[in-house]
Amino acid sequence: MILFLLAAMPSIEQSCNAGAGDACTQAGNEDHLRGDDTAAAVWWERGCGLSEVHGCVNRGVLAMQSQDFTTGRESFARACELGSGSGCYYLGNLWRLGQGVKADPQTALRRYMEGCDKGDGRGCLEAGVQYLEGQTVVLNTDTALSFFNQGCTL
C-alpha cells in the first residue's frame, strides 16, 4: 500500500515543472548536497522565478561564492522584495563591501534595517553596529542597543 502511494506522488522535478517554487528549491538543495552546484543553480533560479525566497537566497549565495556579483545582487534583491530578511541583509553586505556596486554605507544601513524589520537578526546586528560606531550615522548607543535587542528577540 505504501509503495502504491509513493508511486502516485509526483516527483520533486514534476512538482517544480508544475509551478511549485518550493519543489524547485528542494531539487536545488538536493543537487547542492550531491555536489552539483551547476544543477543546483538552475533549480534555485527556477524557484526564485516562482517567487520562492529560499531559492533566491540560495542562488544569490552561490553566485557570490563564484564572484558573480550581478546575479548575487539580483537574487538577493528579488528575495528582499518577496519579504526575505536574509535577502535584504545580504544586499546590505553588497553595498557595505562594494561588491558589484559602488560602496554606499547609507544604502547598506537601509538594507540592514529592512532585513531586521523582516526578521533577520543579522540585519539588526549590522544596523546596531552602524549606530554604535557612528561612522555611517550619528553615534547613538540607545538606537544601537534597540537594534541589538530586536535582533536577540528574533
Side-chain angles (χ1 to χ4, degrees):
M1 178 67 162
I2 293 175
L3 290 177
F4 173 74
L5 291 174
L6 290 176
M9 292 176 58
S11 71
I12 292 173
E13 291 85 1
Q14 289 170 327
S15 295
C16 174
N17 291 335
D22 58 334
C24 301
T25 297
Q26 181 60 36
N29 293 346
E30 290 180 7
D31 280 339
H32 176 68
L33 290 173
R34 284 193 288 271
D36 188 351
D37 284 341
T38 301
V42 172
W43 289 115
W44 288 334
E45 186 74 32
R46 288 183 68 189
C48 185
L50 293 168
S51 300
E52 206 290 308
V53 297
H54 297 100
C56 298
V57 171
N58 291 352
R59 180 66 185 107
V61 169
L62 185 64
M64 294 304 296
Q65 290 171 349
S66 63
Q67 305 294 300
D68 181 354
F69 300 123
T70 300
T71 300
R73 185 182 68 251
E74 290 170 355
S75 298
F76 296 143
R78 175 81 171 132
C80 185
E81 289 167 12
L82 292 169
S84 167
S86 292
C88 301
Y89 162 77
Y90 284 121
L91 273 179
N93 284 345
L94 294 179
W95 290 103
R96 180 175 57 85
L97 300 170
Q99 293 178 316
V101 294
K102 183 178 179 203
D104 183 345
Q106 291 296 325
T107 299
L109 176 61
R110 281 194 304 277
R111 291 303 191 167
Y112 289 143
M113 291 169 63
E114 187 176 1
C116 181
D117 288 343
K118 292 180 180 180
D120 191 288
R122 297 167 299 178
C124 302
L125 171 67
E126 291 296 337
V129 167
Q130 298 300 315
Y131 279 95
L132 187 63
E133 292 178 346
Q135 295 175 0
T136 303
V137 291
V138 175
L139 186 136
N140 187 323
T141 55
D142 290 337
T143 301
L145 186 58
S146 177
F147 276 113
F148 295 148
N149 285 332
Q150 185 175 351
C152 288
T153 62
L154 298 176

